[in-house]
């Protein structure tokens, strides 16, 4: 990454041997999960550490190749579950680029100084503009279907027809053409925005970037230090987020703690605190915990979401965030919280919210409850009352992938309830929460332990695959967006193909790619 | 089926032994493909043969059971491909019920005089209103996830949260509760519209139906006779539709012929001609051919769509249909054509439109070209010019599942093109079709044979699974509807689950249902 005032240049130069696992080399700027984690981190760092950047040029340091996409040998040697998780994470990274573009106004320019194939073109198509070198050789392509018998798994097909609105017959031709298309036709078909000869490529990119970038007011970024946490065999504890793994019962308790003590109230104080500011640190920790659960804890099928601490503190933080939302750092913090919550929506685990006295499902933390598949709230406890509370941030700051707030999704049938919930009343005890429809169940002291225990046992006894498909279908009612299409339709089809013998069987295309053996298909259409 | 003036009663009384295949009995009004074909036929017949019907009561003749859904033993013993095709067809039947309700105003009342489980409840939820008997026993349920480790495969999950807008946490509880919910709570959660004690059930249904049905003007239906066709090993020829199977190359030619001679111009003449009227007969034949290809010809991966005859005749038919669209029969004929074209969109085969001199891709038949994955049109032929033509019906009569016309879907990037295409110019020769963006490729006489041959060879050499996923992703750009969610998201997830060992492996839930052996899951979450 290079920074020159308002322009950042993100150059791919993947080192062949720096792989996350053995058995493959990252040739031709192909990537594995390790590379994509770096990419996600780079985009995050631009947003927090370099707010002065207004345009990001994504390019390559390798000659004649921009990026060859996900490494085929890595995919070929990975388990089904890993492939699925890998694609989900790379999708989230591409969506984070688009989130930056949409909400923070940073322009992403894909400067394809060589061929962009498969995931390489999918990275380009996540950018705002795509320019290809016209060297008689370089092309854009999606060779997954013709070469590998799988789909472009990182949103490519959806973005072709929905973002770039490429005509579907042309998209069909392009997606079945292993060698792809070069400058002139690629431009004509809408796959790229322009092409320049080699000798003028860099100047043309520079000129375009200059057009896009207005002199931005200088702003000083904050540092994002690595997260600190302690682990044992059955726990992973950050400062604010505690993860407890109940391995025998295949569920985890994930508890988010509210901060203690006085909190900053101005943008300047927030800036000074930087990454240590609770909404940023706690949500970075939550994000990390979710990714850890996804990739490293496949046997954990259910996560019980809990909160602890003073709800008033959480609400006052929301108030501060809302009051300062036009400050760049506050905006980035809120957008980051929204992305983490969407990561939760898209995680293939069941989520139950558990609300007890001493919890603080308030404002931004109420989203955890609203994101859950169900919620249990203790009624008539001897330890005092449990309560929920809403804040201004529940009304639009944290949209789901479908574009709605979680409260809108919840009350799709009764939109008038939104006015009630966001009326004068800000806090809801168990009976009120039940009456307003904010929770699923409200067992009392006598039943509480048993009911939670049985619910956990029942949930973790069900088919994990059926639950994944069910949750993906129930969590996103209402409107659809490009994001929900990518995570719902495209991902589901890709997952299907990722288990088909034609892709991953001994004679499958993915298995046999690059080997002397040839793929042989069962040509029956399903 | 019973008819009493404006009310039809469709009673399920599935005969245990009348199965489509061996190895299972259709107990408890469970169904197989044969039963669903009957149901689809019944709905079709109501529309064409009984236009006087304004309300359809769907109920059961079996005591204490409405319908137990798709037969589990049938599913358990079916191939993956059959399960996928079966679910697609049952989905199309449910959507046809909703199409009748939306566009022809017929009210469908599910009178659940006993338990409706799984596909039984999914049939109910496709109706406009659902009433359940309150006998202390009868319930509605979706037990697929808890009992079978698969999803409700006929739109149930999507309709729960999108049609009935059931709160997602309640939908989660309901979809994991094998025994389902009875009257009171089912009503409270929005799963049904009402419940009545056994003694008052029939009267209450009758009363509700009476409220819904206004005295409709009497109308005389037409008869839908069985379709006639001749088959050989490699052909299936109807009157207007000819299917030629090129088995060695795994593709088919499907040709629709325009009618000859004078065509009716008034609604009365159309009514007199009835099912023999070309737009009805040709599209019934096309529908039948598509279903035959889906279920019985899995090795055919590509269908070349061709037309033959006089384009002027086709256009004049469109003119007649448009001019008489408020006559009930003409409306039903147009809606039927639209459903057949949507069936084509949803068929898991590749479609190429082949346009040569003598073809008639005009008006309604132009939709075949617009529905194709790509199109080839001969340029500069010695045999004369090929041409395309638009009619008024291309502007809204045949919406895709996404709610757009195929022309709107095509020009998503350039909506202004719609004005050009539907301007004064009605007919487009090859050069014009290319210029207006109506076709994909326009090879000339010299290249024609070779280019088509190579395109066919290339297409049929690709992974059939990757093509299915790719086409499902590229065909439906733009907005989403409940239908596209059902066919895109829900179906793709179900297909995924339908191959997972947790469902269909030796220890899977579907495999072991009803056996003394127990399912054992691999609990890793994916």
């Amino acid at each position: 990454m290079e920074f020159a005032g308002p322009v950042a240049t993100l150059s791919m130069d993947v080192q062949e041997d720096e792989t996350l696992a053995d058995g493959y080399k990252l040739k031709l700027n192909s990537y594995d999960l390790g590379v994509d984690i770096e990419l996600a981190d780079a985009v995050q760092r631009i947003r927090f550490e370099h707010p002065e950047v207004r345009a990001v040029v994504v390019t390559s340091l390798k000659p004649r190749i921009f990026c060859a996409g996900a490494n085929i040998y890595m995919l070929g040697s990975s388990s089904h579950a890993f492939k699925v998780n890998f694609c989900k994470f790379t999708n989230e990274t591409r969506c984070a680029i688009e989130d930056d573009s949409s909400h923070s106004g940073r322009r992403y320019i894909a400067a394809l100084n060589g061929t962009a194939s498969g995931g390489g073109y999918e990275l380009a198509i996540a950018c705002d503009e795509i320019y290809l070198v016209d060297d008689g050789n370089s092309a854009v392509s999606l060779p997954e279907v013709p070469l590998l018998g799988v789909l472009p798994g990182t949103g490519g097909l959806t973005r072709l027809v929905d973002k770039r609105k490429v005509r579907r017959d042309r998209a069909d031709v392009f997606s079945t053409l292993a060698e792809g298309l070069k400058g002139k036709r690629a431009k004509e078909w809408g796959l790229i925005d322009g092409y320049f000869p080699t000798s003028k490529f860099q100047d043309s990119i520079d000129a375009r970037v200059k057009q896009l970038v207005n002199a931005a007011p200088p702003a000083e970024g904050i540092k994002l230090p690595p997260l600190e946490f302690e682990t044992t065999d059955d726990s992973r504890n950050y400062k604010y987020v505690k993860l407890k793994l109940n391995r025998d019962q295949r569920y985890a308790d994930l508890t988010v703690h509210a901060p203690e003590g006085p909190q900053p109230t101005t943008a300047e104080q927030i800036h000074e605190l930087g990454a240590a500011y609770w909404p940023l640190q706690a949500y970075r920790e939550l994000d990390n915990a979710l990714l850890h659960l996804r990739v490293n804890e496949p046997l954990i099928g259910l996560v019980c979401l809990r909160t602890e601490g003073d709800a008033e503190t959480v609400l006052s933080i929301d108030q501060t965030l809302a009051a300062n939302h036009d400050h760049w750092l506050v905006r980035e913090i809120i957008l980051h919280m929204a992305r983490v919550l969407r990561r939760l929506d898209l995680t293939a685990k069941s989520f139950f919210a558990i609300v007890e006295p001493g919890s603080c499902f308030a404002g931004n933390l109420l989203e955890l409850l609203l994101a859950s598949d169900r919620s249990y709230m203790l009624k008539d406890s001897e330890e005092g009352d449990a309560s929920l509370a809403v804040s201004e941030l529940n009304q639009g700051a944290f949209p789901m992938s479908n574009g709605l707030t979680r409260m809108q999704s919840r009350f799709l049938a009764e939109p008038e309830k939104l006015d009630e919930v966001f009326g004068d009343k800000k806090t809801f005890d168990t009976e009120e929460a039940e009456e307003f429809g904010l929770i699923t169940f409200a067992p009392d002291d006598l039943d509480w332990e048993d009911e939670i225990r049985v619910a956990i046992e029942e949930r973790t006894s069900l088919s994990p695959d059926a639950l994944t498909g069910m949750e993906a279908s129930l969590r996103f009612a209402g409107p659809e967006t490009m994001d929900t299409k990518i995570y719902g339709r495209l991902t589901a089809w890709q997952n299907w193909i990722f288990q088909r013998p034609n892709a991953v069987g001994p004679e499958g295309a993915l298995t046999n790619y690059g080997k002397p053996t040839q793929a042989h298909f069962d040509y029956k259409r399903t």
Side-chain angles (χ1 to χ4, degrees), chain A residues 480-496:
Chain A
E480 296 266 331
T481 63
M482 208 170 59
D483 287 13
T484 59
K485 280 186 177 192
I486 289 170
Y487 293 112
R489 173 192 303 258
L490 185 62
T491 297
W493 280 113
Q494 177 74 307
N495 291 0
W496 177 70

Side-chain angles (χ1 to χ4, degrees), chain A residues 286-345:
Chain A
L286 179 57
D287 201 35
N288 192 277
L290 289 170
L291 289 171
H292 174 71
L293 281 169
R294 278 189 192 175
V295 179
N296 301 321
E297 296 290 349
L299 278 169
I300 298 294
L302 168 66
V303 180
C304 291
L305 292 170
R306 299 165 185 274
T307 54
E308 262 184 58
D310 181 18
E312 285 306 320
T313 308
V314 179
L315 291 173
S316 74
I317 287 173
D318 279 14
Q319 214 170 8
T320 302
L321 292 172
N324 293 283
H325 74 274
D326 51 0
H327 184 274
W328 76 265
L329 177 57
V330 176
R331 184 190 67 226
E332 291 298 346
I333 288 172
I334 294 172
L335 289 168
H336 176 258
M337 297 163 87
R339 289 198 298 283
V340 175
L341 290 165
R342 286 199 290 273
R343 179 105 76 193
L344 198 162
D345 294 330

